[in-house]
C-alpha cells in the first residue's frame, strides 16, 4: 500500500511526509561502515520531522523558477496541476483506481498531460537543511501540515529530488537529479540520479539501493530499473543485507540477476549468502537461485556450504529463517557436533534440515559413534493447506555393535479436523533405545481421541494402550460429557474402563476396573455449590467413594469482621472398598486472615486455618494451623524476614477411615529467619536459619549471587551444619565470565570443603565468536567423561544454548542444537 500525505486524517500520513523529507540529509558515502546503517541515518525520522514546516502552503511565495534549459510555456488544462507548497512543487498523476482530484491550476515550468502511470515529483526547495540536533537533545516539535496539501492516492509513486530536468509529464522523459528518493508500496528506492522514460520505467544510478520501510533490509546494485506499473525493481549486479532475525551482524546476500516485487520479495540467480564481514576467512553459501522473503526467510536451491575456499557439503534446498525460531523442527543446522564420551566413544552428530514450504519441513539426523555405530533419524512435519490435517513423525534407529542389537525410537502424531466442531488426535510412540548404561525393556503406546465441541456442550472419547516389553500392559477407554445448562449451572460426567496385566518373577496378575464421576456445579449470588458422585468398581478394590458429596463455599462469611474470614462446608457419605467401611462425614474449614499490620516500620502478617471433622461413628477430629511472618528493612541494603509456623492436632489420627483425613501423631512447630544483604543486582547474600524447637541444631544455608558486569555472573550456595565432625557441606559453585574478546567461559562444579577444597563434578562450557561469523562451542563433563564440540553459524536465529544470566534453566547446557 502506498503512503498518503493527509495528516489531518491519519498519523500514518504524517509519518509519510516525515519520511519524504528525510532526503534533506547528506548522501552517505560507501566506506567501511555498512550501507544499511547509513541508510538508516539518512532516513532518520527525528531529523526529518524538522522539514515538515517547509511544506506549509504560503500564497505569498512565488512559484519556483524553471529549470535551466527549459523554456517556460503555458500549460494546457491538466487533470492534475502542480500545487505550490512553500519552496517545493508537487506534480501528481493518479493510477486508474485513484479518484480524481483537481487542485487549482498554477503555472508550472514542466507541463503535465494526463497519464495513468506517471510518478509524482517532489522538488526540494530551500538552501540548507536545518542542523541535526545533538545527541540527547529533543527534536523540535513538527508543525502540523494543513489539510489543503493534496494526498498521495493508492498505487501512486512519489519521487523526491534536488532538482528536475526535462519534462516529467506522462509521455515525456525527464530526469531527477541529486539525492533521489522514490517511494512506492512497502519500499523506498534511493540513488543520485533517476531517468524517467515517460512511459513506465525509471532507471536509477549513482550507488542506488532499495530499503524497506521497517529499515531492516536493504538491496544494493550498480543500476536499478524500476517499473512504475508493476512496481517491481530489477537490480543489475544486485546484493543485499538484512538484520531481520539475526543476533550478530548482518545477513549479506547477492545474485547475478536480482528482482524485487511490490511486496518486497526478492528473487535472483547465482546466489551468494554469508553472515561474515570477511566471507573468504569464514563461510558462505552459494546456490542456483535465491528467494528473500522479508521478515520470514531466505530460500536457496542447490546450495553448497563453503568454509573459506573449501566446499563442505551440498544440500538441494536450504531455508534460512529471518526470525526467531521456536519450533525445533524448523531450526536450521549447518555444522555437525563432534565430541567424545567414555561410553559411546568419539562421535559426529549432524542434522540436515529440509523444507518445501510451511506445510512440509523437518530435518534428517545422522549420528556416528566409534564404539556404538551409525544412527539415522528423520523428523518431519506435514500439514494440509486447508487446515484439515497436521501430522509429525520422529524416527531414529541405531545398530549397537557392542551388543549386536538394533534399537528404534518412533513418535508419530496426527490431528484431523473433521469439521469446525469435530476433531481427532492420534498418536503412537515406541521407545527402544534408552542410551548407555540402561537395561529397560522397550515400551510402546497408542492413544486416540475424538472431541466434539458444541455451543453449550462437549464430548470427548479417548482410548489408550501402553506396554512395557512383556512385563506389563494396560488398556483404557474413557468418555467425558460436559453440559452448560445455564450461565450458573453446569454438569460434567466422566466414565472410564481399564484393564491391566503385570508379569514379574514368573507371577502374573490382572485387574479390571471402571470409574464413574459426576460433578454438578451451581453458582448463586451468595455461594458456590458443588455436588460430586464418585464410584469405583474394581476386581482389586482401592480408593475412596463419594456417595455423594456436597460442598458449599459462601462468598461472604462474616463480611463485617475486622479481618477476612473464609469458610467451606462439606457433607457426604463415603466408603473405602478395600476394607468395606462406610460412614458419613462433615467437614468445616475456616480461614482467618491474612491480617496485615505495620509494626514499627515492619510488615506483619498472620493467618489461621481451623478444620473440624465429624463422622457418623461419633469420632471427632480437629486441626489448627498458624502462620506468622515479620519482614523488616534495615537500611537500604538489608532485609530480615522471620516466619513462624505451628500446627496442632486433636483426635484419633488413623480412624475411622484408613485413607481419608489422616493426621500426624504429634503437633508441629518451627521458625525460620532469612537475612538478605544486597546492593541492586551487583550482589545478593542470603543467610537462612531454622529451628524446630526440638533442641537439635539445624543447618545454616547460604546463597551468594553476584553480577560484576552485564556479561558475568557468580553463584555460590550450600549449608553449614553445626556440631562436632560436621561443618560445611559441599557447595555448588557456578560462574559465567568473559574470557577474552567475544569469548565466554561458563563453569559448574562442587566445592568439597572437607577434601582440601577440591572441586569435583566439573562441567566447563566455552563459547567463542570468530570474526563475527560463526561460533565455536566446547563442553567438558567430568562425571561422564564427555567432550562436545559444535560449530554454529552465528547470525542466524539462535542455535546456541542459553546460560544462566536472565534465564531460568541450568547455567550449563546439557546438549547442543537439540541433538
Amino acid at each position: 500500500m502506498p503512503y498518503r500525505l493527509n495528516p489531518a486524517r491519519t498519523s500514518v500520513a504524517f509519518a509519510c511526509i516525515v519520511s519524504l523529507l528525510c532526503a534533506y540529509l547528506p548522501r552517505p558515502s560507501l566506506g567501511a561502515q555498512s550501507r544499511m546503517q547509513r541508510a538508516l541515518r539518512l532516513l532518520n525520522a527525528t531529523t526529518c520531522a524538522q522539514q515538515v514546516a517547509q511544506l506549509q502552503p504560503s500564497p505569498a511565495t512565488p512559484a519556483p523558477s524553471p529549470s535551466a534549459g527549459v523554456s517556460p510555456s503555458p500549460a494546457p488544462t491538466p487533470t492534475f496541476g502542480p500545487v505550490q507548497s512553500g519552496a517545493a512543487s508537487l506534480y501528481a498523476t493518479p493510477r486508474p483506481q485513484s479518484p480524481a482530484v483537481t487542485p487549482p491550476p498554477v503555472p508550472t515550468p514542466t507541463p503535465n498531460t494526463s497519464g495513468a502511470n506517471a510518478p509524482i515529483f517532489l522538488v526540494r526547495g530551500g538552501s540548507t537543511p536545518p542542523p541535526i540536533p545533538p545527541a540527547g537533545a529533543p527534536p523540535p516539535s513538527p508543525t502540523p501540515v494543513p489539510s489543503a496539501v493534496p494526498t498521495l492516492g493508492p498505487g501512486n509513486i512519489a519521487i523526491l529530488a534536488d532538482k528536475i530536468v526535462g519534462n516529467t509529464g506522462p509521455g515525456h522523459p525527464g530526469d531527477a537529479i541529486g539525492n533521489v528518493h522514490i517511494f512506492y508500496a512497502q519500499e523506498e528506492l534511493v540513488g543520485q540520479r533517476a531517468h524517467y522514460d515517460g512511459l513506465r520505467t525509471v532507471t536509477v544510478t549513482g550507488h542506488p539501493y532499495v530499503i524497506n520501510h521497517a529499515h531492516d533490509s536493504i538491496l544494493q546494485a550498480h543500476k536499478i530499473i524500476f517499473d512504475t506499473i508493476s512496481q517491481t525493481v530489477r537490480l543489475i549486479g544486485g546484493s543485499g543485507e538484512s538484520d531481520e532475525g539475526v543476533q550478530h551482524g548482518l545477513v549479506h546476500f547477492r545474485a547475478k540477476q536480482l528482482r524485487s516485487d511490490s511486496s518486497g520479495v526478492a528473487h535472483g540467480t547465482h546466489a551468494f549468502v554469508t553472515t561474515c564481514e570477511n566471507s573468504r576467512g569464514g563461510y558462505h553459501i552459494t546456490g542456483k537461485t535465491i528467494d528473500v522473503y522479508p521478515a520470514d526467510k531466505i530460500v536457496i536451491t542447490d546450495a553448497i556450504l563453503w568454509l573459506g575456499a573449501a566446499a563442505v557439503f551440498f544440500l538441494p534446498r536450504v531455508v534460512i529463517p529471518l526470525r526467531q525460531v521456536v519450533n525445533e523442527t524448523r531450526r536450521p543446522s549447518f555444522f555437525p557436533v563432534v565430541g567424545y564420551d567414555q561410553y559411546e566413544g568419539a562421535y559426529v552428530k549432524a542434522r540436515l534440515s529440509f523444507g518445501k514450504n510451511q506445510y512440509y519441513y523437518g530435518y534428517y539426523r545422522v549420528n556416528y559413534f566409534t564404539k556404538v555405530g551409525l544412527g539415522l533419524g528423520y523428523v518431519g512435519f506435514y500439514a494440509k493447506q486447508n487446515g484439515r490435517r497436521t501430522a509429525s513423525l520422529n524416527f531414529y534407529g541405531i545398530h549397537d555393535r557392542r551388543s549386536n542389537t538394533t534399537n528404534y525410537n518412533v513418535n508419530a502424531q496426527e490431528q484431523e479436523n473433521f469439521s469446525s466442531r469435530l476433531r481427532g488426535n492420534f498418536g503412537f510412540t515406541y521407545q527402544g533405545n534408552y542410551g548407555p548404561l540402561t537395561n529397560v525393556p522397550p515400551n510402546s503406546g497408542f492413544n486416540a481421541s475424538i472431541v466434539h465441541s458444541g455451543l453449550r456442550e462437549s464430548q470427548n472419547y479417548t482410548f489408550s494402550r501402553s506396554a512395557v516389553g512383556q512385563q506389563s500392559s494396560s488398556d483404557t477407554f474413557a468418555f467425558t460429557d460436559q453440559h452448560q445448562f445455564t450461565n450458573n449451572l453446569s454438569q460434567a460426567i466422566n466414565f472410564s474402563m481399564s484393564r491391566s496385566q503385570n508379569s514379574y518373577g514368573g507371577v502374573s496378575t490382572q485387574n479390571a476396573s471402571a470409574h464413574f464421576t459426576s460433578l454438578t456445579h451451581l453458582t448463586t449470588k451468595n455461594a458456590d455449590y458443588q455436588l460430586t458422585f464418585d464410584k469405583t468398581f474394581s476386581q482389586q478394590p482401592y480408593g475412596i467413594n463419594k456417595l455423594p458429596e456436597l460442598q458449599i463455599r459462601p462468598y461472604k462469611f462474616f463480611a463485617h469482621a475486622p479481618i477476612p474470614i473464609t469458610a467451606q462446608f462439606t457433607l457426604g457419605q463415603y466408603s473405602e472398598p478395600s476394607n468395606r467401611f462406610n460412614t458419613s462425614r462433615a467437614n468445616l474449614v475456616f480461614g482467618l486472615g491474612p491480617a496485615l499490620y505495620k509494626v514499627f516500620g515492619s510488615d506483619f502478617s498472620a493467618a489461621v486455618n481451623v478444620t473440624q471433622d465429624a463422622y457418623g461413628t461419633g469420632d471427632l477430629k480437629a486441626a489448627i494451623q498458624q502462620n506468622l511472618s515479620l519482614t523488616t528493612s534495615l537500611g537500604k541494603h538489608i532485609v530480615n524476614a522471620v516466619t513462624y509456623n505451628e500446627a496442632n492436632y486433636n483426635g484419633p489420627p488413623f480412624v475411622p477411615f484408613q485413607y481419608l483425613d489422616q493426621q500426624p501423631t504429634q503437633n508441629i512447630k518451627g521458625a525460620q529467619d532469612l537475612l538478605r544483604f544486597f546492593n541492586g543486582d551487583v550482589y545478593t547474600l542470603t543467610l537462612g536459619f531454622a529451628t524446630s524447637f526440638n533442641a537439635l541444631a539445624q543447618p545454616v544455608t547460604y546463597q551468594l549471587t553476584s553480577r560484576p558486569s552485564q556479561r558475568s555472573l557468580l553463584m555460590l550456595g550450600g549449608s553449614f551444619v553445626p556440631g562436632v565432625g560436621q561443618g560445611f557441606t559441599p557447595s555448588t559453585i557456578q560462574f559465567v565470565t568473559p574470557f577474552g574478546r567475544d569469548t565466554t567461559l561458563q563453569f559448574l562444579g562442587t566445592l568439597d570443603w572437607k577434601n582440601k577444597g577440591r572441586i569435583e563434578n566439573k562441567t566447563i562450557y566455552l563459547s567463542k565468536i570468530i570474526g563475527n561469523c560463526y561460533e565455536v562451542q566446547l563442553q567438558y563433563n567430568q562425571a561422564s567423561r564427555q567432550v562436545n564440540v559444535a560449530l554454529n553459524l552465528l547470525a542466524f536465529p539462535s542455535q546456541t544454548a542459553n546460560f544462566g544470566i536472565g534465564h531460568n534453566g541450568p547455567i550449563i547446557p546439557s546438549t547442543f542444537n537439540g541433538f
Side-chain angles (χ1 to χ4, degrees):
M1 296 294 293
Y3 282 121
R4 299 185 62 85
L5 303 179
N6 189 345
R9 297 182 61 183
T10 66
S11 59
V12 176
F14 176 73
C16 179
I17 295 177
V18 173
S19 298
L20 290 176
L21 296 174
C22 292
Y24 278 109
L25 298 178
R27 175 70 178 177
S29 61
L30 297 176
Q33 189 181 7
S34 86
R35 187 62 164 273
M36 180 184 297
Q37 294 173 342
R38 302 183 197 182
L40 296 180
R41 178 177 176 271
L42 179 67
L43 302 174
N44 189 301
T46 303
T47 305
C48 296
Q50 305 176 42
Q51 311 300 321
V52 177
Q54 299 189 21
L55 290 185
Q56 303 299 322
S58 178
T61 304
S65 302
S67 302
V70 181
S71 301
S73 59
T77 303
T79 305
F80 279 80
V83 177
Q84 284 196 348
S85 181
S89 296
L90 177 68
Y91 296 86
T93 304
R95 297 285 295 271
Q97 66 270 27
S98 304
V101 179
T102 307
V106 178
T108 175
T110 54
N112 278 304
T113 59
S114 60
N117 305 305
I120 298 170
F121 285 85
L122 270 173
V123 182
R124 286 192 184 85
S127 55
T128 304
I132 301 174
S141 301
T143 305
V145 180
S147 59
V149 177
T151 60
L152 184 66
N156 286 154
I157 302 164
I159 300 180
L160 181 66
D162 291 338
K163 69 176 182 177
I164 303 298
V165 176
N167 191 334
T168 57
H172 301 279
D175 293 278
I177 301 176
N179 207 5
V180 179
H181 287 242
I182 302 176
F183 298 90
Y184 69 98
Q186 301 299 320
E187 296 184 316
E188 180 177 348
L189 176 56
V190 183
Q192 288 296 327
R193 185 184 185 99
H195 174 73
Y196 176 52
D197 66 355
L199 298 176
R200 62 184 294 173
T201 302
V202 178
T203 302
V204 184
T205 57
H207 305 294
Y209 62 88
V210 179
I211 190 169
N212 62 346
H213 292 329
H215 296 170
D216 53 17
S217 183
I218 187 173
L219 301 175
Q220 310 165 41
H222 301 300
K223 179 172 66 176
I224 298 179
I225 301 175
F226 175 64
D227 191 317
T228 60
I229 295 180
S230 61
Q231 295 196 10
T232 60
V233 296
R234 181 162 61 93
L235 295 90
I236 307 301
S239 62
E241 56 191 35
S242 174
D243 64 0
E244 297 173 313
V246 301
Q247 295 184 331
H248 299 272
L250 301 170
V251 177
H252 305 275
F253 54 90
R254 65 173 182 260
K256 185 176 182 180
Q257 294 291 335
L258 192 61
R259 295 175 179 268
S260 177
D261 56 29
S262 59
S263 62
V265 179
H267 311 274
T269 59
H270 298 83
F272 178 96
V273 178
T274 184
T275 58
C276 305
E277 298 298 331
N278 180 13
S279 60
R280 293 185 177 181
Y283 79 92
H284 63 272
I285 301 174
T286 61
K288 183 178 181 181
T289 64
I290 181 174
D291 298 300
V292 182
Y293 300 85
D296 187 14
K297 60 187 175 182
I298 296 177
V299 180
I300 305 173
T301 60
D302 295 341
I304 300 176
L305 176 64
W306 300 75
L307 292 182
V312 179
F313 58 85
F314 167 84
L315 289 175
R317 182 184 179 93
V318 170
V319 180
I320 302 172
L322 297 177
R323 49 180 166 68
Q324 291 298 320
V325 178
V326 178
N327 189 345
E328 286 292 335
T329 61
R330 308 198 71 168
R331 189 182 300 277
S333 178
F334 301 94
F335 291 104
V337 173
V338 297
Y340 173 84
D341 68 64
Q342 60 179 337
Y343 307 110
E344 298 171 319
Y347 59 82
V348 178
K349 300 179 182 180
R351 193 174 67 184
L352 309 178
S353 303
F354 65 85
K356 181 179 180 182
N357 48 39
Q358 66 269 33
Y359 303 106
Y360 178 60
Y361 57 87
Y363 61 87
Y364 300 102
R365 293 178 59 187
V366 180
N367 300 339
Y368 178 76
F369 306 88
T370 56
K371 293 184 179 180
V372 180
L374 179 66
L376 300 176
Y378 168 89
V379 178
F381 174 84
Y382 167 78
K384 296 194 68 173
Q385 297 186 18
N386 59 11
R388 297 290 296 271
R389 176 184 302 159
T390 60
S392 64
L393 175 62
N394 188 334
F395 170 83
Y396 182 76
I398 186 170
H399 179 77
D400 192 338
R401 64 176 62 166
R402 296 170 301 182
S403 59
N404 197 27
T405 59
T406 302
N407 295 315
Y408 300 97
N409 295 342
V410 180
N411 187 337
Q413 304 293 329
E414 181 181 2
Q415 177 174 313
E416 293 281 350
N417 296 316
F418 302 107
S419 67
S420 60
R421 299 184 181 277
L422 185 64
R423 70 177 186 274
N425 295 280
F426 309 93
F428 172 77
T429 60
Y430 177 85
Q431 187 81 12
N433 177 27
Y434 282 89
L437 301 181
T438 56
N439 187 21
V440 179
N443 68 67
S444 62
F446 172 78
N447 62 85
S449 65
I450 303 294
V451 181
H452 173 263
S453 301
L455 295 178
R456 284 185 170 271
E457 45 81 26
S458 64
Q459 294 80 34
N460 188 352
Y461 303 85
T462 61
F463 173 79
S464 63
R465 174 178 174 80
S466 63
V468 178
Q470 301 295 326
Q471 296 181 0
S472 64
S473 65
S474 64
D475 301 276
T476 302
F477 169 79
F479 166 74
T480 300
D481 180 78
Q482 295 183 345
H483 277 79
Q484 187 74 37
F485 300 107
T486 66
N487 293 334
N488 300 328
L489 180 62
S490 64
Q491 185 180 47
I493 296 177
N494 178 274
F495 176 75
S496 64
M497 295 187 303
S498 63
R499 183 187 63 84
S500 62
Q501 180 179 1
N502 296 276
S503 177
Y504 182 78
V507 179
S508 179
T509 60
Q510 295 183 355
N511 188 29
S513 63
H515 185 203
F516 175 81
T517 302
S518 173
L519 191 150
T520 305
H521 186 212
L522 174 66
T523 58
T524 63
K525 181 179 180 180
N526 298 318
D528 181 279
Y529 300 89
Q530 183 170 289
L531 181 64
T532 304
F533 184 89
D534 192 310
K535 179 68 174 179
T536 300
F537 306 90
S538 177
Q539 290 180 344
Q540 300 178 5
Y542 67 94
I544 298 173
N545 294 329
K546 302 177 182 179
L547 307 169
E549 176 190 79
L550 175 63
Q551 190 177 86
I552 304 174
R553 291 187 294 270
Y555 296 143
K556 296 180 181 180
F557 191 79
F558 289 99
H560 301 290
I563 61 174
I565 300 179
T566 61
Q568 177 178 294
F569 306 99
T570 305
L571 180 65
Q573 187 76 17
Y574 304 86
S575 68
E576 290 181 338
S578 59
N579 54 22
R580 299 182 180 181
F581 178 76
N582 188 328
T583 190
S584 58
R585 167 182 173 266
N587 173 263
L588 290 81
V589 178
F590 300 96
L592 290 77
L596 306 176
Y597 301 97
K598 280 284 186 179
V599 180
F600 299 109
S602 301
D603 296 325
F604 177 76
S605 174
V608 178
N609 291 325
V610 180
T611 303
Q612 178 66 62
D613 294 305
Y615 305 92
T617 58
D619 295 300
L620 297 175
K621 286 185 180 182
I624 299 178
Q625 289 96 18
Q626 306 175 49
N627 300 280
L628 310 176
S629 67
L630 180 67
T631 303
T632 306
S633 296
L634 306 175
K636 297 182 179 180
H637 302 286
I638 303 176
V639 174
N640 186 61
V642 179
T643 59
Y644 175 79
N645 306 286
E646 181 178 338
N648 296 283
Y649 304 96
N650 192 9
F654 305 115
V655 294
F657 289 101
Q658 184 178 357
Y659 303 105
L660 183 65
D661 299 334
Q662 293 188 4
Q663 291 186 163
T665 57
Q666 295 180 353
N667 297 333
I668 302 172
K669 59 181 178 179
Q672 299 82 34
D673 185 8
L674 197 65
L675 184 61
R676 187 164 66 98
F677 304 86
F678 62 93
N679 183 11
D681 64 346
V682 177
Y683 71 86
T684 299
L685 174 61
T686 303
L687 301 177
F689 307 89
T691 179
S692 299
F693 299 98
N694 55 4
L696 296 177
Q698 301 296 318
V700 179
T701 61
Y702 60 91
Q703 178 72 43
L704 173 64
T705 302
S706 177
R707 288 285 298 271
S709 68
Q710 290 297 321
R711 294 182 56 198
S712 58
L713 171 70
L714 171 64
M715 292 188 292
L716 177 66
S719 62
F720 175 82
V721 181
V724 179
Q726 300 297 326
F728 286 97
T729 61
S731 302
T732 300
I733 179 173
Q734 43 192 325
F735 64 82
V736 179
T737 181
F739 198 70
R741 182 178 179 182
D742 295 330
T743 306
T744 300
L745 175 66
Q746 300 170 220
F747 177 85
L748 173 65
T750 302
L751 183 61
D752 191 349
W753 299 97
K754 298 180 181 180
N755 191 14
K756 300 181 181 180
R758 292 187 56 180
I759 299 178
E760 303 289 345
N761 301 320
K762 295 183 288 290
T763 300
I764 302 174
Y765 175 79
L766 182 68
S767 170
K768 181 174 180 57
I769 297 173
I770 301 177
N772 199 30
C773 182
Y774 45 77
E775 180 182 32
V776 177
Q777 294 175 283
L778 174 65
Q779 183 191 53
Y780 168 71
N781 189 302
Q782 181 188 27
S784 62
R785 299 182 184 179
Q786 187 178 49
V787 177
N788 293 322
V789 180
L791 184 65
N792 296 311
L793 304 190
L794 186 64
F796 300 141
S798 175
Q799 304 172 62
T800 62
N802 295 320
F803 52 83
I805 296 182
H807 300 279
N808 296 324
I811 190 172
I812 299 295
S814 59
T815 59
F816 293 153
N817 303 332
F819 288 99

